[in-house]
Amino acid sequence: MAADPGGGAASLGNPGRCVVRAPGAEIRLANRGDARRNLKNYAGASEDYSEAIRLAPANPGGWKGRGFIRMMTQDFKGSVADFDEAIKLDPTVPEYFDNRGLSYAEAKDYDRAIIDYNEAIRLSPKANFLTNRGDAYQAKGDLDRAIADYD
């Protein structure tokens, strides 16, 4: 297989021929999507996550990855929809709620963001979830609650 110095499909095989048909292809596609996201190749990452979803719609990883890309590209409605799917598939992962909360916050829907941060905190009281909720409270002008989350 020839390497593709541009980082396109040929670098890991043609998704329509090699990667997609191999067992576990959806995991490799999601991993490649992660790598492309880290390179800020959001279009390529979105394609990989979408293909991972097509191959394994019951795997929340593709939904989470594409949701994050959509948030990064300011498609907040699409991002929320993808995180909705990830949450339906595995409602025990606090990061899915946190990421959906971030999407809501970016869209300035702070009340929904706070609801999601509350669930993330209930599942796992991590400092970054509290910080995100504090930021949402601050954006709403509820400074006492923001300060309590930052403490």
Side-chain angles (χ1 to χ4, degrees):
M1 173 179 358
D4 177 0
S11 64
L12 290 178
N14 180 339
R17 203 175 67 229
C18 298
V19 174
V20 173
R21 292 188 183 154
E26 71 280 0
I27 294 168
R28 287 190 298 284
L29 284 162
N31 288 341
R32 186 172 69 184
D34 292 345
R36 286 180 167 174
R37 180 192 70 222
N38 291 334
L39 290 171
K40 299 192 183 337
N41 177 355
Y42 299 136
S46 183
E47 288 173 15
D48 286 340
Y49 294 131
S50 293
E51 185 63 11
I53 291 166
R54 186 187 73 74
L55 291 172
N59 183 332
W63 296 103
K64 180 237 355 157
R66 192 175 71 181
F68 194 81
I69 293 299
R70 287 178 166 179
M71 180 174 53
M72 297 293 292
T73 58
Q74 299 187 349
D75 175 7
F76 303 122
K77 186 177 179 180
S79 178
V80 166
D82 282 351
F83 288 124
D84 285 346
E85 288 300 318
I87 289 166
K88 283 180 199 170
L89 293 167
D90 190 350
T92 67
V93 178
E95 288 78 14
Y96 298 164
F97 289 96
D98 183 60
N99 286 336
R100 188 173 68 179
L102 289 169
S103 297
Y104 281 132
E106 288 292 325
K108 307 210 181 318
D109 189 344
Y110 301 114
D111 291 327
R112 285 187 177 172
I114 289 167
I115 290 167
D116 276 348
Y117 297 143
N118 287 340
E119 184 61 15
I121 292 163
R122 185 189 72 75
L123 291 167
S124 178
K126 293 182 181 178
N128 62 309
F129 301 158
L130 288 162
T131 298
N132 290 341
R133 186 176 69 182
D135 291 347
Y137 279 133
Q138 185 167 223
K140 284 183 56 161
D142 191 341
L143 300 181
D144 290 333
R145 285 186 172 168
I147 290 168
D149 278 352
Y150 297 145
D151 280 343

